[in-house]
Amino acid sequence: MKILIVEDEKKVGRFLKLGLEEEGHTVSNAYDGEKGENLALSEKHDVIVLDIMLPKKNGIEVLKSIRSNGISTPVLILTAKGSLEDKVEGLDEGADDYLVKPFAFAEFIARVRSLGRRSGAEKTTTLKVADLELDTLTRKARRGGKEIELTNREYALLEYFVRNVNRVLTRTVISEHIWEYNFDTGTNIVEVYVNKLRNKIDADAETKLIHTIRGTGYMMKLE
Ligand code: CA
């Protein structure tokens, strides 16, 4: 999908861009309301992520302008904690969904995906590695035609492996992607989840897909 992120906090904007690009999306960043408005009006996007508190022009004004110019692209607004008025005003002005800061990346990506589905942008739904198949719309996994029961987190981790097949994923990269960016990597939560996933997808299979790269992390590959 083609996604526009209008967010003046550069660190946050860049982090979201990177995460979306890892999922295979094309992302433009705008760091103030005017730039965001120009990009929204001049190029077609599948989803627009719009912060409310912005320099030059706030998110609500940008949203009004976008809608009054007949652009119906789904808009996800980002609001500061507790600013109920922003949320209500945003939805009144034609935003499709909102997310309260700070938020987890997994939550963000779920909202963006859901808006993308609404705009009909997400067309590729099946990802495959060997006899492992993922349906990214229903978030279901099968191995050798047999459905695998996964929790949301486990599914997210599995999809991340599949999208990065033959690439080494460090524990830090995995934890930043699947959990929040300030996740404490001192814990062994990544190992715990990878092991859960292995038990579900690799335990009964002749060909193992998830491999440990000693001292570094993990890699999905065919031996
Ligand atoms: Ca802001």
Side-chain angles (χ1 to χ4, degrees):
M1 291 197 282
K2 198 174 165 198
I3 299 161
L4 171 64
I5 299 174
V6 191
E7 162 65 88
D8 58 313
E9 280 166 73
K10 291 198 173 161
K11 248 179 99 178
V12 176
R14 287 200 192 109
F15 174 80
L16 297 178
K17 177 177 160 70
L18 204 70
L20 288 169
E21 283 174 347
E22 280 180 353
E23 300 264 324
H25 303 295
T26 307
V27 183
S28 315
N29 276 121
Y31 300 113
D32 66 63
E34 271 177 20
K35 180 81 197 297
E37 182 186 17
N38 288 341
L39 282 176
L41 296 180
S42 61
E43 289 172 32
K44 194 182 174 330
H45 300 91
D46 298 303
V47 175
I48 297 171
V49 178
L50 185 59
D51 187 30
I52 297 289
M53 297 288 282
L54 289 168
K56 295 190 183 171
K57 207 167 217 188
N58 74 42
I60 298 292
E61 292 174 277
V62 174
L63 180 60
K64 276 186 191 168
S65 161
I66 294 174
R67 291 295 184 245
S68 69
N69 278 280
I71 291 167
S72 60
T73 306
V75 172
L76 171 67
I77 52 173
L78 306 180
T79 69
K81 202 178 172 187
S83 57
L84 184 69
E85 282 170 21
D86 281 355
K87 189 172 88 187
V88 171
E89 201 182 354
L91 294 173
D92 274 352
E93 294 298 341
D96 298 84
D97 200 358
Y98 68 92
L99 206 48
V100 177
K101 289 178 176 180
F103 48 80
F105 184 76
E107 179 67 19
F108 171 77
I109 198 90
R111 301 294 182 93
V112 169
R113 267 201 207 113
S114 138
L115 290 179
R117 283 200 284 278
R118 212 180 290 180
S119 75
E122 197 161 287
K123 287 183 190 79
T124 316
T125 61
T126 311
L127 299 173
K128 266 181 113 168
V129 175
D131 59 347
L132 174 71
E133 268 183 81
L134 299 192
D135 184 322
T136 61
L137 281 186
T138 58
R139 294 169 74 78
K140 291 233 185 317
R142 290 168 177 274
R143 179 120 204 226
K146 208 175 136 203
E147 191 165 326
I148 304 160
E149 289 284 335
L150 296 171
T151 64
N152 279 335
R153 269 286 133 94
E154 288 164 356
Y155 175 84
L157 181 58
L158 182 58
E159 185 176 321
Y160 191 50
F161 270 122
V162 169
R163 286 188 188 273
N164 290 282
V165 70
N166 295 323
R167 266 165 68 181
V168 177
L169 301 176
T170 64
R171 289 180 186 83
T172 311
V173 161
I174 292 173
S175 72
E176 281 179 356
H177 184 81
I178 306 297
W179 288 270
E180 291 157 54
Y181 30 114
N182 293 323
F183 185 71
D184 177 18
T185 52
T187 69
N188 66 348
I189 192 155
V190 172
E191 277 155 86
V192 170
Y193 268 88
V194 170
N195 286 333
K196 282 182 174 195
L197 204 52
R198 274 185 165 146
N199 283 333
K200 291 187 176 182
I201 71 153
D202 274 349
D204 301 330
E206 214 165 288
T207 315
K208 309 296 179 202
L209 294 176
I210 300 171
H211 300 265
T212 302
I213 309 298
R214 195 171 294 204
T216 313
Y218 303 94
M219 183 156 122
M220 176 169 275
K221 63 169 179 180
L222 287 169
E223 286 270 69

